Amino acid sequence: MKHGKKYVDSKKIIEPLKAYDPEEALDMTLKTSKAKFDETIEISIRLGVDPRHADQQVRGAVVLPHGTGRSVRVLVFAKGDKAAEALEAGADYVGAEEMVQKIQTENWFKFDVCVATPDMMGVVGRIGRVLGPKGLMPNPKSGTVTMDVARAVADIKAGKVEYRVDKTAIVHCPIGKASFGIEKLNQNLAVLMEAIVKAKPSAVKGTYVKSLYLSSTMGPGVKVNPLKF
């Protein structure tokens, strides 16, 4: 892969073999964030788990203290009072069977997160094959299948992020925008890492957090010292 001049210049200031402390790594990541837009800062965490085993799955959600810096569109599958609660809490779209049909017939995906009450999961299940691959299927572990839809919507709007280990045993998660600055990004990072460390499956032996890398949308990866977490 051929990288642009800004990327190549940015990579020169990073020591390739050094594992930086979190604040220093964030400083390097911001220095290498040179795009003309407000880049997202993301953490990539390689865990010592085997995702092929059900008892070694790592998945959950956490509310970042300073949010993610992006506007999140929320779709809630609910009826009656729960639908009204969702709307009052700030949900962008609320519905039931008609929303399922809209997704099926119009290929409509103008939302970023999907929440559902437990009684609606039978209906939502009809489009599970469509929502699943996009990471939009509501799930109790991430708090998106709940009767407290108002709380779920409020948390998502406030900056709740979902983390999930992929088939290569890596978790990718945004921790904010470059404009946040080091202090806010560091606080978001600490909260996220605390949640991931607490989510360590009991079946996992040996080193759990194997490596960490921070990067901006268009910048190179900066290695972080995992022992700090």
Side-chain angles (χ1 to χ4, degrees):
M1 182 183 292
K2 187 177 181 180
H3 293 290
K5 185 177 182 298
K6 288 182 180 179
Y7 182 97
V8 173
D9 289 343
S10 293
K11 199 162 185 179
K12 289 177 182 177
I13 69 172
I14 301 170
E15 294 182 45
L17 300 179
K18 181 177 178 179
Y20 293 87
D21 285 347
E23 285 197 28
E24 192 179 5
L26 283 166
D27 182 47
M28 294 297 290
T29 304
L30 295 181
K31 284 179 179 176
T32 57
S33 174
K34 298 180 179 180
K36 294 181 180 179
F37 60 90
D38 193 7
E39 295 184 64
T40 295
I41 307 302
E42 185 178 85
I43 185 81
S44 298
I45 310 147
R46 186 164 69 90
L47 300 177
V49 301
D50 188 343
R52 294 173 297 177
H53 299 292
D55 61 353
Q56 294 191 41
Q57 292 296 312
V58 177
R59 181 175 185 176
V62 63
V63 178
L64 300 180
H66 302 289
T68 61
R70 62 186 286 247
S71 178
V72 182
R73 301 165 296 177
V74 183
L75 165 63
V76 178
F77 288 98
K79 289 183 177 180
D81 292 343
K82 292 300 174 183
E85 287 177 20
L87 282 170
E88 190 174 344
D92 299 275
Y93 308 100
V94 180
E97 287 85 353
E98 72 277 12
M99 301 307 294
V100 171
Q101 187 175 5
K102 187 177 180 69
I103 292 169
Q104 286 178 321
T105 60
E106 300 178 23
N107 198 32
W108 178 80
F109 288 100
K110 292 184 178 180
F111 54 94
D112 305 297
V113 181
C114 206
V115 176
T117 53
D119 59 298
M120 289 301 300
M121 286 306 292
V123 175
V124 178
R126 300 174 195 168
I127 51 173
R129 289 185 179 180
V130 179
L131 295 179
K134 294 180 179 290
L136 295 171
M137 189 67 179
N139 187 286
K141 290 184 179 179
S142 62
T144 49
V145 176
T146 175
M147 288 301 289
D148 194 353
V149 290
R151 173 67 181 273
V153 172
D155 283 349
I156 292 166
K157 291 288 187 179
K160 184 177 183 179
V161 294
E162 183 178 353
Y163 56 86
R164 182 179 185 180
V165 68
D166 64 17
K167 62 183 180 181
T168 62
I170 296 176
V171 173
H172 300 279
C173 202
I175 61 167
K177 295 287 187 178
S179 60
F180 282 18
I182 293 176
E183 185 177 347
K184 289 182 178 180
L185 287 170
N186 196 34
Q187 290 172 7
N188 277 357
L189 175 60
V191 169
L192 173 65
M193 288 305 301
E194 182 182 5
I196 291 175
V197 169
K198 283 183 178 179
K200 178 184 177 181
S202 58
V204 174
K205 308 300 178 185
T207 304
Y208 176 52
V209 180
K210 289 197 168 184
S211 64
L212 299 166
Y213 282 87
L214 282 165
S215 63
S216 59
T217 305
M218 305 296 287
V222 179
K223 192 174 184 178
V224 187
N225 183 0
L227 296 179
K228 294 297 178 178
F229 300 103

